[in-house]
Amino acid sequence: MATLLVVGGSGFIGRDVCRFAVRDGHEVRSVSRSGRPDVDAEWADAVSWTSADLFRPNAWRDRLDGVDAVVHSVGALTESPSDGVTFERVNGDAAVLTALEAERAGVDAFVFLSAAAKPPGVRNAYLTAKRRAESSIADLDLDVVTLRPGPVYGEGQPHLPGVADRVLRFLASARPIASRLGEARPLAVGTVARASYRAALDPGERLLDVSDIRELAG
């Protein structure tokens, strides 16, 4: 069995990554600002939750001890500069810092949740920061896998109103429409999380697009 650290494990995608890993008997740790999510589930009891600021690695660096793979699922769709939440910082710098810490700890694999495109109405910096992170971590001394999903929908989606989530669900289920959307095809949160988890255990392809993610998730 492997030991996984899910960075952002209390978040929308991260908690499903934790759930899949616990289900299969792996040791799972999480580092996120909020710590344990407010869920009443057996899998959550099995995760070692740590509440910490990613930009203060002294507070969570020991969580990497003995870890085989890291899944980085931290990201932002909105900004709050007064709180230090900008695309450049959260979507870019956080991933680079975490990957450097993982490399220093001797972690074997690092999975980065990037994106295929920026959401409508969001600053270009959203995607620019993710692409910068992809480039910065690509040549580190560990197996790096980058996933580029399209819009992610599912129960508990915190970034979208319910009606938008339902529209994404419909678009994904309507095959003629979904096939035309290409890399903008919506994906279920479980699909993205399962692919992230499997990539952590068996890092093969360096870059997974929407079709690759669906295939890996099975």
Side-chain angles (χ1 to χ4, degrees), residues 61-72:
R61 185 177 285 135
D62 63 329
R63 300 279 75 199
L64 287 164
D65 293 346
V67 164
D68 299 295
V70 172
V71 177
H72 183 93

Side-chain angles (χ1 to χ4, degrees), residues 15 23 43 98-99 111 136 152 156 172 188 202 206:
R15 66 178 66 183
R23 178 200 62 187
W43 68 263
T98 307
V111 177
S136 297
V152 181
D202 186 17
R206 305 279 288 185

Side-chain angles (χ1 to χ4, degrees), residues 5 16 27 31 52 65 74 84 88 90 93 125 140 150 190 193 197 202 212:
L5 175 65
D16 265 6
E27 178 183 342
V31 173
D65 293 346
V74 172
E88 291 84 355
V90 178
D93 297 344
L140 295 182
Y197 159 61
D202 186 17
D212 297 325

Side-chain angles (χ1 to χ4, degrees), residues 149-152 171-175 178-179 181-187 210 214:
V152 181
L171 292 176
S173 64
R175 291 188 178 182
S179 62
L181 291 174
E183 295 309 299
R185 179 174 186 163
L187 293 175
V210 170
R214 295 179 65 234

Side-chain angles (χ1 to χ4, degrees), residues 5 29-36 47-52 59-60 62-63:
L5 175 65
R29 306 170 188 173
S30 167
V31 173
S32 64
R33 182 179 291 275
S34 58
R36 177 179 171 137
V47 177
S48 176
W49 303 98
T50 298
S51 174
W60 59 270
D62 63 329
R63 300 279 75 199

Side-chain angles (χ1 to χ4, degrees), residues 5 12 22 60 70 87 141 158 215:
L5 175 65
F12 178 53
V22 166
W60 59 270
V70 172
F87 295 140
D141 187 23
E215 181 178 354

